[in-house]
């Protein structure tokens, strides 16, 4: 098929279902991108994605996207890829990258992930819901807050430590 597939319905039933009846696999939706099979995929390319659009009164326009992009130019031995999550800010018509997951698993929220950080945040605050002391996981520390409005760190052995700061 060399034409787009367009599924439409007026009763909220427009769906595409990919079903695989096999115990070791599942259905796949594959996106392919090439430059006429002459140039390797490069960082400026778009490999594929999921795009959401809505009617703005005149035409269908994109509001949010998840895109796969090369993180470096591809070769026969390297296919470095990242995922970008895009939304459209209020009072704007242009999508903006709001979260990036790079090829090393580093996550950047509001900014590209830093090379030496698993999680990079640009501005804002981290909100932690109050919880009880969690079960420990060997070799993993946890930061949390409880209903006493204090911040805690639990080490990989399960020991709980209150984190305290001096008031200014």
């Amino acid at each position: 098929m060399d034409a787009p597939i367009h599924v439409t319905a007026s009763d909220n039933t427009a769906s595409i279902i990919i079903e695989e009846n096999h115990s070791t696999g599942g259905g796949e939706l594959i996106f392919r991108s090439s430059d006429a099979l002459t140039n390797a995929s490069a960082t400026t390319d778009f490999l594929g994605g999921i795009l959401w659009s809505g009617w703005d009164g005149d035409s269908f326009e994109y509001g949010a996207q998840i895109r796969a992009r090369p993180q470096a130019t591809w070769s026969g031995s390297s296919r470095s890829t990242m995922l970008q999550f895009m939304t459209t800010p209020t009072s704007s018509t242009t999508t903006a990258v709001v979260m990036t997951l790079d090829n090393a698993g580093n996550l950047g929220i509001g900014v590209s992930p830093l090379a030496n950080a698993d999680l990079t945040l640009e501005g804002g605050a981290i909100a932690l819901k109050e919880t009880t002391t969690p079960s420990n996981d060997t070799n993993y520390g946890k930061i949390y807050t409880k209903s006493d409005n204090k911040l805690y760190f639990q080490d990989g052995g399960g020991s709980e430590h209150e984190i305290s700061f001096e008031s200014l």
Side-chain angles (χ1 to χ4, degrees):
M1 177 180 296
D2 290 333
I5 296 172
H6 185 135
V7 178
T8 185
S10 59
D11 60 357
N12 296 323
T13 60
S15 299
I16 296 175
I17 299 170
I18 300 171
E19 184 174 338
E20 170 77 23
N21 293 313
H22 195 275
S23 63
T24 60
E28 295 179 335
L29 183 59
I30 298 173
F31 299 91
R32 288 187 176 167
S33 174
S34 72
D35 181 8
L37 301 178
T38 57
N39 296 320
S41 295
T43 57
T44 55
D45 292 341
F46 168 50
L47 298 175
I50 303 170
L51 293 78
W52 291 267
S53 67
W55 186 255
D56 70 0
D58 295 313
S59 59
F60 281 104
E61 300 296 338
Y62 296 120
Q65 306 175 28
I66 300 173
R67 290 186 166 209
R69 302 186 78 103
Q71 195 163 326
T73 300
W74 282 19
S75 70
S77 62
S78 178
R79 294 184 198 101
S80 177
T81 307
M82 66 177 153
L83 290 175
Q84 293 179 323
F85 296 77
M86 305 167 78
T87 59
T88 303
T90 301
S91 300
S92 177
T93 58
T94 305
T95 57
V97 176
V98 294
M99 187 168 65
T100 301
L101 179 62
D102 74 11
N103 65 352
N106 300 322
L107 181 64
I109 301 174
V111 65
S112 293
L114 298 175
N116 298 319
D118 295 332
L119 175 63
T120 306
L121 301 173
E122 180 71 22
I126 298 173
L128 300 172
K129 182 162 177 51
E130 293 175 344
T131 187
T132 58
T133 301
S135 298
N136 75 296
D137 290 305
T138 303
N139 298 324
Y140 288 88
K142 298 178 180 177
I143 296 174
Y144 53 96
T145 184
K146 298 195 296 189
S147 60
D148 61 5
N149 294 316
K150 295 180 182 177
L151 190 61
Y152 293 90
F153 171 75
Q154 181 188 72
D155 62 34
S159 296
E160 182 175 81
H161 309 274
E162 181 183 331
I163 301 173
S164 61
F165 303 92
E166 291 184 32
S167 297
L168 298 177

